[in-house]
Amino acid sequence: MNQPTKEAFLDDLILSLGKGWSLLAEGALNRKSPFHSLSVATISGKLPSQRIMILREVNPDKRILRFNTDMRTSKVSDISLSQPISVLAYHPEMKIQMRLSGLARIETTSEAADTAWDQASLYGKRCYLAQPAPGSPVSRPTSGLDPLMEGRKPEAEEVLPARKNFGILIAEINQIDWLYLAHTGHRRAEFRWNSQSRDWDSGWLVP
């Protein structure tokens, strides 16, 4: 009987970390990737608050994940200046889970925010026209959009007012809990960013 093929990264910390970042990078580019829609948790008051967000950009060298956000949402007030953030990703085909923790910041007038706005689709920009603000109580179900705006692709000039509501959420990752589920035996590792050595300290954990 043939034995299942053992992944090259299974017993190698450097390769495991590299595999994780490569899956995240793919997730930012491929909407069909399981790493495209991630669970993002912030602290709201004394309680954790989670939501699904679309991963838009990944920079492994700077340890950065970038998401787009409406500036009127609760997570923006949760984050304010350099507040903790946790991001959860799971790839059911690869059987890889990543829990990424770090500090988050919000940008709305930066060059990076302007670039992100320019890269957004017209449909994506339309979301930031919602009135009242996301999370506002309403008396009946609504998208928040003007009915004339629903069901069609907006023109560029129509979404210009939405720019003031648009921002980016930058997560600077400093800790990664990496889990691989394998028939040959699970593997789990931890990676912590060392600001002095400018590299990851890593080690194996019991799954």
Side-chain angles (χ1 to χ4, degrees), residues 54-95:
I54 302 301
L55 182 60
R56 299 295 183 181
E57 184 180 356
V58 174
N59 188 323
D61 293 334
K62 294 184 178 180
R63 300 170 288 112
I64 291 295
L65 306 181
R66 192 259 293 176
F67 306 86
N68 295 344
T69 184
D70 193 306
M71 293 298 294
R72 300 168 294 171
T73 59
S74 60
K75 61 180 170 292
V76 172
S77 57
D78 292 345
I79 290 169
S80 61
L81 296 176
S82 296
Q83 294 299 308
I85 193 168
S86 179
V87 179
L88 175 64
Y90 179 66
H91 199 299
E93 295 179 6
M94 295 297 301
K95 304 298 183 183

mmCIF file of all heavy atoms in Angstrom, residues 54-95:
data_model
loop_
_atom_site.group_PDB
_atom_site.id
_atom_site.type_symbol
_atom_site.label_atom_id
_atom_site.label_comp_id
_atom_site.label_asym_id
_atom_site.label_seq_id
_atom_site.Cartn_x
_atom_site.Cartn_y
_atom_site.Cartn_z
ATOM 1 N N ILE A 54 -12.294 40.926 3.874
ATOM 2 C CA ILE A 54 -11.601 40.482 2.680
ATOM 3 C C ILE A 54 -10.141 40.942 2.733
ATOM 4 O O ILE A 54 -9.872 42.134 2.909
ATOM 5 C CB ILE A 54 -12.266 41.038 1.407
ATOM 6 C CG1 ILE A 54 -13.734 40.597 1.347
ATOM 7 C CG2 ILE A 54 -11.511 40.571 0.162
ATOM 8 C CD1 ILE A 54 -13.923 39.103 1.335
ATOM 9 N N LEU A 55 -9.249 39.977 2.598
ATOM 10 C CA LEU A 55 -7.818 40.282 2.595
ATOM 11 C C LEU A 55 -7.453 40.923 1.266
ATOM 12 O O LEU A 55 -7.658 40.342 0.197
ATOM 13 C CB LEU A 55 -7.020 39.005 2.811
ATOM 14 C CG LEU A 55 -5.494 39.124 2.877
ATOM 15 C CD1 LEU A 55 -5.068 40.029 4.028
ATOM 16 C CD2 LEU A 55 -4.864 37.739 3.028
ATOM 17 N N ARG A 56 -6.892 42.126 1.298
ATOM 18 C CA ARG A 56 -6.619 42.883 0.085
ATOM 19 C C ARG A 56 -5.143 42.930 -0.294
ATOM 20 O O ARG A 56 -4.800 43.062 -1.458
ATOM 21 C CB ARG A 56 -7.119 44.331 0.251
ATOM 22 C CG ARG A 56 -8.603 44.440 0.484
ATOM 23 C CD ARG A 56 -9.402 43.963 -0.702
ATOM 24 N NE ARG A 56 -10.835 44.147 -0.503
ATOM 25 C CZ ARG A 56 -11.755 43.791 -1.400
ATOM 26 N NH1 ARG A 56 -11.375 43.221 -2.536
ATOM 27 N NH2 ARG A 56 -13.032 43.977 -1.142
ATOM 28 N N GLU A 57 -4.267 42.844 0.700
ATOM 29 C CA GLU A 57 -2.839 42.967 0.411
ATOM 30 C C GLU A 57 -2.032 42.282 1.503
ATOM 31 O O GLU A 57 -2.414 42.317 2.678
ATOM 32 C CB GLU A 57 -2.444 44.440 0.309
ATOM 33 C CG GLU A 57 -1.000 44.691 -0.073
ATOM 34 C CD GLU A 57 -0.669 46.177 -0.159
ATOM 35 O OE1 GLU A 57 -1.590 47.012 0.007
ATOM 36 O OE2 GLU A 57 0.502 46.497 -0.394
ATOM 37 N N VAL A 58 -0.917 41.675 1.112
ATOM 38 C CA VAL A 58 -0.028 40.999 2.054
ATOM 39 C C VAL A 58 1.410 41.395 1.746
ATOM 40 O O VAL A 58 1.825 41.408 0.590
ATOM 41 C CB VAL A 58 -0.165 39.463 1.952
ATOM 42 C CG1 VAL A 58 0.863 38.764 2.830
ATOM 43 C CG2 VAL A 58 -1.574 39.024 2.333
ATOM 44 N N ASN A 59 2.151 41.746 2.803
ATOM 45 C CA ASN A 59 3.566 42.060 2.657
ATOM 46 C C ASN A 59 4.334 41.272 3.725
ATOM 47 O O ASN A 59 4.448 41.720 4.868
ATOM 48 C CB ASN A 59 3.822 43.560 2.820
ATOM 49 C CG ASN A 59 5.251 43.953 2.487
ATOM 50 O OD1 ASN A 59 6.194 43.212 2.784
ATOM 51 N ND2 ASN A 59 5.429 45.119 1.880
ATOM 52 N N PRO A 60 4.855 40.084 3.363
ATOM 53 C CA PRO A 60 5.557 39.259 4.349
ATOM 54 C C PRO A 60 6.781 39.945 4.949
ATOM 55 O O PRO A 60 7.076 39.758 6.140
ATOM 56 C CB PRO A 60 5.964 38.019 3.545
ATOM 57 C CG PRO A 60 5.012 37.978 2.393
ATOM 58 C CD PRO A 60 4.749 39.418 2.063
ATOM 59 N N ASP A 61 7.517 40.721 4.146
ATOM 60 C CA ASP A 61 8.723 41.374 4.649
ATOM 61 C C ASP A 61 8.405 42.383 5.751
ATOM 62 O O ASP A 61 9.162 42.525 6.714
ATOM 63 C CB ASP A 61 9.459 42.071 3.504
ATOM 64 C CG ASP A 61 10.022 41.087 2.492
ATOM 65 O OD1 ASP A 61 10.289 39.935 2.881
ATOM 66 O OD2 ASP A 61 10.187 41.465 1.321
ATOM 67 N N LYS A 62 7.284 43.080 5.608
ATOM 68 C CA LYS A 62 6.873 44.057 6.616
ATOM 69 C C LYS A 62 5.871 43.471 7.609
ATOM 70 O O LYS A 62 5.419 44.168 8.506
ATOM 71 C CB LYS A 62 6.281 45.291 5.938
ATOM 72 C CG LYS A 62 7.294 46.070 5.109
ATOM 73 C CD LYS A 62 6.664 47.334 4.540
ATOM 74 C CE LYS A 62 7.681 48.150 3.752
ATOM 75 N NZ LYS A 62 7.093 49.396 3.186
ATOM 76 N N ARG A 63 5.502 42.190 7.417
ATOM 77 C CA ARG A 63 4.567 41.486 8.291
ATOM 78 C C ARG A 63 3.189 42.170 8.297
ATOM 79 O O ARG A 63 2.520 42.268 9.318
ATOM 80 C CB ARG A 63 5.111 41.395 9.721
ATOM 81 C CG ARG A 63 6.432 40.672 9.831
ATOM 82 C CD ARG A 63 7.057 40.799 11.209
ATOM 83 N NE ARG A 63 7.564 42.130 11.442
ATOM 84 C CZ ARG A 63 7.065 42.994 12.319
ATOM 85 N NH1 ARG A 63 6.038 42.644 13.083
ATOM 86 N NH2 ARG A 63 7.600 44.183 12.466
ATOM 87 N N ILE A 64 2.747 42.630 7.130
ATOM 88 C CA ILE A 64 1.548 43.445 7.011
ATOM 89 C C ILE A 64 0.427 42.693 6.306
ATOM 90 O O ILE A 64 0.636 42.049 5.276
ATOM 91 C CB ILE A 64 1.856 44.735 6.233
ATOM 92 C CG1 ILE A 64 2.763 45.663 7.052
ATOM 93 C CG2 ILE A 64 0.574 45.462 5.840
ATOM 94 C CD1 ILE A 64 2.133 46.196 8.317
ATOM 95 N N LEU A 65 -0.781 42.799 6.877
ATOM 96 C CA LEU A 65 -2.015 42.415 6.204
ATOM 97 C C LEU A 65 -2.853 43.675 6.067
ATOM 98 O O LEU A 65 -2.953 44.459 7.009
ATOM 99 C CB LEU A 65 -2.796 41.376 7.009
ATOM 100 C CG LEU A 65 -2.069 40.102 7.439
ATOM 101 C CD1 LEU A 65 -3.034 39.203 8.211
ATOM 102 C CD2 LEU A 65 -1.509 39.357 6.240
ATOM 103 N N ARG A 66 -3.453 43.850 4.883
ATOM 104 C CA ARG A 66 -4.272 45.063 4.676
ATOM 105 C C ARG A 66 -5.697 44.687 4.282
ATOM 106 O O ARG A 66 -5.919 43.835 3.440
ATOM 107 C CB ARG A 66 -3.644 45.933 3.587
ATOM 108 C CG ARG A 66 -4.254 47.346 3.501
ATOM 109 C CD ARG A 66 -5.235 47.482 2.363
ATOM 110 N NE ARG A 66 -4.615 47.375 1.059
ATOM 111 C CZ ARG A 66 -5.324 47.386 -0.076
ATOM 112 N NH1 ARG A 66 -6.646 47.483 -0.052
ATOM 113 N NH2 ARG A 66 -4.707 47.259 -1.252
ATOM 114 N N PHE A 67 -6.643 45.354 4.948
ATOM 115 C CA PHE A 67 -8.066 45.189 4.666
ATOM 116 C C PHE A 67 -8.662 46.571 4.404
ATOM 117 O O PHE A 67 -8.160 47.581 4.914
ATOM 118 C CB PHE A 67 -8.811 44.565 5.847
ATOM 119 C CG PHE A 67 -8.218 43.265 6.337
ATOM 120 C CD1 PHE A 67 -7.181 43.258 7.265
ATOM 121 C CD2 PHE A 67 -8.707 42.058 5.883
ATOM 122 C CE1 PHE A 67 -6.642 42.062 7.728
ATOM 123 C CE2 PHE A 67 -8.162 40.859 6.331
ATOM 124 C CZ PHE A 67 -7.133 40.865 7.259
ATOM 125 N N ASN A 68 -9.731 46.635 3.638
ATOM 126 C CA ASN A 68 -10.469 47.886 3.454
ATOM 127 C C ASN A 68 -11.600 47.950 4.476
ATOM 128 O O ASN A 68 -12.164 46.919 4.866
ATOM 129 C CB ASN A 68 -11.043 47.973 2.045
ATOM 130 C CG ASN A 68 -9.962 48.038 0.983
ATOM 131 O OD1 ASN A 68 -8.799 48.305 1.276
ATOM 132 N ND2 ASN A 68 -10.335 47.797 -0.262
ATOM 133 N N THR A 69 -11.959 49.163 4.886
ATOM 134 C CA THR A 69 -12.997 49.299 5.902
ATOM 135 C C THR A 69 -13.759 50.606 5.750
ATOM 136 O O THR A 69 -13.229 51.592 5.220
ATOM 137 C CB THR A 69 -12.389 49.223 7.315
ATOM 138 O OG1 THR A 69 -13.443 49.255 8.284
ATOM 139 C CG2 THR A 69 -11.447 50.398 7.575
ATOM 140 N N ASP A 70 -14.986 50.599 6.216
ATOM 141 C CA ASP A 70 -15.779 51.822 6.312
ATOM 142 C C ASP A 70 -15.361 52.536 7.593
ATOM 143 O O ASP A 70 -15.327 51.927 8.672
ATOM 144 C CB ASP A 70 -17.276 51.480 6.343
ATOM 145 C CG ASP A 70 -18.166 52.689 6.127
ATOM 146 O OD1 ASP A 70 -17.997 53.688 6.867
ATOM 147 O OD2 ASP A 70 -19.038 52.649 5.244
ATOM 148 N N MET A 71 -15.052 53.801 7.491
ATOM 149 C CA MET A 71 -14.562 54.553 8.642
ATOM 150 C C MET A 71 -15.619 54.741 9.727
ATOM 151 O O MET A 71 -15.313 55.167 10.831
ATOM 152 C CB MET A 71 -14.039 55.916 8.185
ATOM 153 C CG MET A 71 -12.792 55.850 7.324
ATOM 154 S SD MET A 71 -11.383 55.117 8.197
ATOM 155 C CE MET A 71 -11.107 56.345 9.463
ATOM 156 N N ARG A 72 -16.861 54.412 9.417
ATOM 157 C CA ARG A 72 -17.948 54.615 10.378
ATOM 158 C C ARG A 72 -18.261 53.355 11.180
ATOM 159 O O ARG A 72 -19.172 53.377 12.014
ATOM 160 C CB ARG A 72 -19.202 55.085 9.629
ATOM 161 C CG ARG A 72 -19.002 56.391 8.863
ATOM 162 C CD ARG A 72 -20.159 56.640 7.911
ATOM 163 N NE ARG A 72 -20.204 55.632 6.837
ATOM 164 C CZ ARG A 72 -21.212 55.505 5.962
ATOM 165 N NH1 ARG A 72 -22.261 56.316 6.065
ATOM 166 N NH2 ARG A 72 -21.165 54.585 5.019
ATOM 167 N N THR A 73 -17.517 52.279 10.967
ATOM 168 C CA THR A 73 -17.814 51.024 11.654
ATOM 169 C C THR A 73 -17.215 50.984 13.057
ATOM 170 O O THR A 73 -16.293 51.725 13.378
ATOM 171 C CB THR A 73 -17.275 49.833 10.844
ATOM 172 O OG1 THR A 73 -15.856 49.979 10.685
ATOM 173 C CG2 THR A 73 -17.930 49.764 9.470
ATOM 174 N N SER A 74 -17.721 50.057 13.860
ATOM 175 C CA SER A 74 -17.274 49.964 15.252
ATOM 176 C C SER A 74 -15.819 49.525 15.360
ATOM 177 O O SER A 74 -15.117 49.915 16.301
ATOM 178 C CB SER A 74 -18.164 48.981 16.017
ATOM 179 O OG SER A 74 -18.109 47.692 15.438
ATOM 180 N N LYS A 75 -15.349 48.723 14.405
ATOM 181 C CA LYS A 75 -13.966 48.247 14.515
ATOM 182 C C LYS A 75 -12.967 49.391 14.403
ATOM 183 O O LYS A 75 -11.867 49.313 14.954
ATOM 184 C CB LYS A 75 -13.674 47.188 13.455
ATOM 185 C CG LYS A 75 -13.810 47.629 12.016
ATOM 186 C CD LYS A 75 -13.492 46.473 11.085
ATOM 187 C CE LYS A 75 -13.835 46.790 9.644
ATOM 188 N NZ LYS A 75 -15.301 46.901 9.414
ATOM 189 N N VAL A 76 -13.341 50.460 13.709
ATOM 190 C CA VAL A 76 -12.453 51.617 13.603
ATOM 191 C C VAL A 76 -12.263 52.257 14.973
ATOM 192 O O VAL A 76 -11.138 52.588 15.368
ATOM 193 C CB VAL A 76 -13.001 52.635 12.583
ATOM 194 C CG1 VAL A 76 -12.189 53.929 12.623
ATOM 195 C CG2 VAL A 76 -12.978 52.038 11.172
ATOM 196 N N SER A 77 -13.343 52.407 15.722
ATOM 197 C CA SER A 77 -13.222 52.964 17.075
ATOM 198 C C SER A 77 -12.541 51.976 18.012
ATOM 199 O O SER A 77 -11.858 52.377 18.960
ATOM 200 C CB SER A 77 -14.599 53.357 17.619
ATOM 201 O OG SER A 77 -15.478 52.245 17.620
ATOM 202 N N ASP A 78 -12.696 50.670 17.757
ATOM 203 C CA ASP A 78 -12.004 49.661 18.577
ATOM 204 C C ASP A 78 -10.494 49.793 18.436
ATOM 205 O O ASP A 78 -9.747 49.628 19.400
ATOM 206 C CB ASP A 78 -12.396 48.243 18.139
ATOM 207 C CG ASP A 78 -13.838 47.902 18.455
ATOM 208 O OD1 ASP A 78 -14.454 48.625 19.256
ATOM 209 O OD2 ASP A 78 -14.335 46.907 17.896
ATOM 210 N N ILE A 79 -10.056 50.080 17.229
ATOM 211 C CA ILE A 79 -8.626 50.058 16.938
ATOM 212 C C ILE A 79 -7.932 51.339 17.362
ATOM 213 O O ILE A 79 -6.872 51.318 17.984
ATOM 214 C CB ILE A 79 -8.400 49.784 15.437
ATOM 215 C CG1 ILE A 79 -8.791 48.340 15.125
ATOM 216 C CG2 ILE A 79 -6.953 50.037 15.037
ATOM 217 C CD1 ILE A 79 -8.861 48.023 13.659
ATOM 218 N N SER A 80 -8.504 52.484 17.052
ATOM 219 C CA SER A 80 -7.892 53.786 17.331
ATOM 220 C C SER A 80 -6.399 53.739 17.013
ATOM 221 O O SER A 80 -6.007 53.549 15.881
ATOM 222 C CB SER A 80 -8.182 54.238 18.769
ATOM 223 O OG SER A 80 -7.655 53.315 19.696
ATOM 224 N N LEU A 81 -5.535 53.850 18.022
ATOM 225 C CA LEU A 81 -4.096 53.858 17.783
ATOM 226 C C LEU A 81 -3.440 52.595 18.317
ATOM 227 O O LEU A 81 -3.434 52.349 19.525
ATOM 228 C CB LEU A 81 -3.452 55.086 18.429
ATOM 229 C CG LEU A 81 -3.877 56.444 17.865
ATOM 230 C CD1 LEU A 81 -3.242 57.568 18.673
ATOM 231 C CD2 LEU A 81 -3.498 56.561 16.405
ATOM 232 N N SER A 82 -2.912 51.768 17.416
ATOM 233 C CA SER A 82 -2.113 50.591 17.774
ATOM 234 C C SER A 82 -2.778 49.713 18.823
ATOM 235 O O SER A 82 -2.231 49.473 19.901
ATOM 236 C CB SER A 82 -0.728 51.037 18.261
ATOM 237 O OG SER A 82 -0.028 51.679 17.231
ATOM 238 N N GLN A 83 -3.961 49.231 18.505
ATOM 239 C CA GLN A 83 -4.677 48.325 19.399
ATOM 240 C C GLN A 83 -4.501 46.879 18.939
ATOM 241 O O GLN A 83 -4.227 46.615 17.768
ATOM 242 C CB GLN A 83 -6.162 48.688 19.447
ATOM 243 C CG GLN A 83 -6.441 50.034 20.075
ATOM 244 C CD GLN A 83 -5.979 50.097 21.514
ATOM 245 O OE1 GLN A 83 -6.316 49.234 22.325
ATOM 246 N NE2 GLN A 83 -5.196 51.102 21.850
ATOM 247 N N PRO A 84 -4.654 45.913 19.854
ATOM 248 C CA PRO A 84 -4.456 44.503 19.489
ATOM 249 C C PRO A 84 -5.461 44.039 18.438
ATOM 250 O O PRO A 84 -6.618 44.493 18.410
ATOM 251 C CB PRO A 84 -4.672 43.758 20.812
ATOM 252 C CG PRO A 84 -4.510 44.782 21.879
ATOM 253 C CD PRO A 84 -4.958 46.076 21.283
ATOM 254 N N ILE A 85 -5.011 43.123 17.607
ATOM 255 C CA ILE A 85 -5.884 42.543 16.590
ATOM 256 C C ILE A 85 -5.500 41.082 16.418
ATOM 257 O O ILE A 85 -4.343 40.700 16.633
ATOM 258 C CB ILE A 85 -5.767 43.301 15.250
ATOM 259 C CG1 ILE A 85 -6.907 42.905 14.313
ATOM 260 C CG2 ILE A 85 -4.405 43.055 14.590
ATOM 261 C CD1 ILE A 85 -7.038 43.812 13.099
ATOM 262 N N SER A 86 -6.488 40.263 16.065
ATOM 263 C CA SER A 86 -6.249 38.850 15.806
ATOM 264 C C SER A 86 -6.938 38.475 14.500
ATOM 265 O O SER A 86 -8.080 38.880 14.261
ATOM 266 C CB SER A 86 -6.789 37.990 16.958
ATOM 267 O OG SER A 86 -6.590 36.614 16.698
ATOM 268 N N VAL A 87 -6.234 37.719 13.677
ATOM 269 C CA VAL A 87 -6.765 37.309 12.380
ATOM 270 C C VAL A 87 -6.696 35.791 12.293
ATOM 271 O O VAL A 87 -5.661 35.188 12.592
ATOM 272 C CB VAL A 87 -5.956 37.943 11.228
ATOM 273 C CG1 VAL A 87 -6.511 37.496 9.874
ATOM 274 C CG2 VAL A 87 -5.964 39.467 11.334
ATOM 275 N N LEU A 88 -7.806 35.178 11.889
ATOM 276 C CA LEU A 88 -7.876 33.724 11.783
ATOM 277 C C LEU A 88 -8.099 33.317 10.330
ATOM 278 O O LEU A 88 -9.001 33.836 9.662
ATOM 279 C CB LEU A 88 -9.022 33.189 12.649
ATOM 280 C CG LEU A 88 -9.307 31.678 12.548
ATOM 281 C CD1 LEU A 88 -8.118 30.873 13.055
ATOM 282 C CD2 LEU A 88 -10.571 31.325 13.329
ATOM 283 N N ALA A 89 -7.267 32.388 9.857
ATOM 284 C CA ALA A 89 -7.386 31.864 8.499
ATOM 285 C C ALA A 89 -7.354 30.344 8.549
ATOM 286 O O ALA A 89 -6.588 29.764 9.325
ATOM 287 C CB ALA A 89 -6.240 32.390 7.629
ATOM 288 N N TYR A 90 -8.182 29.716 7.712
ATOM 289 C CA TYR A 90 -8.157 28.260 7.624
ATOM 290 C C TYR A 90 -8.350 27.828 6.177
ATOM 291 O O TYR A 90 -9.240 28.323 5.487
ATOM 292 C CB TYR A 90 -9.241 27.623 8.492
ATOM 293 C CG TYR A 90 -9.229 26.107 8.395
ATOM 294 C CD1 TYR A 90 -8.143 25.374 8.870
ATOM 295 C CD2 TYR A 90 -10.280 25.421 7.796
ATOM 296 C CE1 TYR A 90 -8.119 23.990 8.761
ATOM 297 C CE2 TYR A 90 -10.260 24.041 7.688
ATOM 298 C CZ TYR A 90 -9.176 23.327 8.168
ATOM 299 O OH TYR A 90 -9.138 21.966 8.050
ATOM 300 N N HIS A 91 -7.482 26.923 5.736
ATOM 301 C CA HIS A 91 -7.527 26.402 4.374
ATOM 302 C C HIS A 91 -7.942 24.930 4.449
ATOM 303 O O HIS A 91 -7.133 24.072 4.808
ATOM 304 C CB HIS A 91 -6.150 26.532 3.716
ATOM 305 C CG HIS A 91 -6.178 26.450 2.230
ATOM 306 N ND1 HIS A 91 -6.636 25.344 1.558
ATOM 307 C CD2 HIS A 91 -5.808 27.351 1.269
ATOM 308 C CE1 HIS A 91 -6.537 25.547 0.255
ATOM 309 N NE2 HIS A 91 -6.054 26.755 0.048
ATOM 310 N N PRO A 92 -9.211 24.594 4.130
ATOM 311 C CA PRO A 92 -9.685 23.218 4.305
ATOM 312 C C PRO A 92 -8.995 22.199 3.407
ATOM 313 O O PRO A 92 -8.890 21.028 3.777
ATOM 314 C CB PRO A 92 -11.186 23.315 3.982
ATOM 315 C CG PRO A 92 -11.330 24.548 3.169
ATOM 316 C CD PRO A 92 -10.275 25.490 3.651
ATOM 317 N N GLU A 93 -8.532 22.607 2.235
ATOM 318 C CA GLU A 93 -7.844 21.664 1.353
ATOM 319 C C GLU A 93 -6.412 21.411 1.820
ATOM 320 O O GLU A 93 -5.939 20.268 1.842
ATOM 321 C CB GLU A 93 -7.848 22.191 -0.081
ATOM 322 C CG GLU A 93 -9.238 22.285 -0.695
ATOM 323 C CD GLU A 93 -9.198 22.830 -2.098
ATOM 324 O OE1 GLU A 93 -8.088 23.037 -2.633
ATOM 325 O OE2 GLU A 93 -10.279 23.038 -2.672
ATOM 326 N N MET A 94 -5.724 22.472 2.208
ATOM 327 C CA MET A 94 -4.355 22.330 2.693
ATOM 328 C C MET A 94 -4.292 21.885 4.147
ATOM 329 O O MET A 94 -3.239 21.481 4.639
ATOM 330 C CB MET A 94 -3.604 23.660 2.549
ATOM 331 C CG MET A 94 -3.400 24.139 1.124
ATOM 332 S SD MET A 94 -2.376 23.001 0.160
ATOM 333 C CE MET A 94 -0.860 22.997 1.111
ATOM 334 N N LYS A 95 -5.431 21.988 4.851
ATOM 335 C CA LYS A 95 -5.509 21.630 6.271
ATOM 336 C C LYS A 95 -4.573 22.488 7.119
ATOM 337 O O LYS A 95 -3.963 22.017 8.087
ATOM 338 C CB LYS A 95 -5.181 20.139 6.477
ATOM 339 C CG LYS A 95 -6.055 19.190 5.679
ATOM 340 C CD LYS A 95 -7.514 19.292 6.068
ATOM 341 C CE LYS A 95 -8.360 18.271 5.306
ATOM 342 N NZ LYS A 95 -9.805 18.404 5.613
#
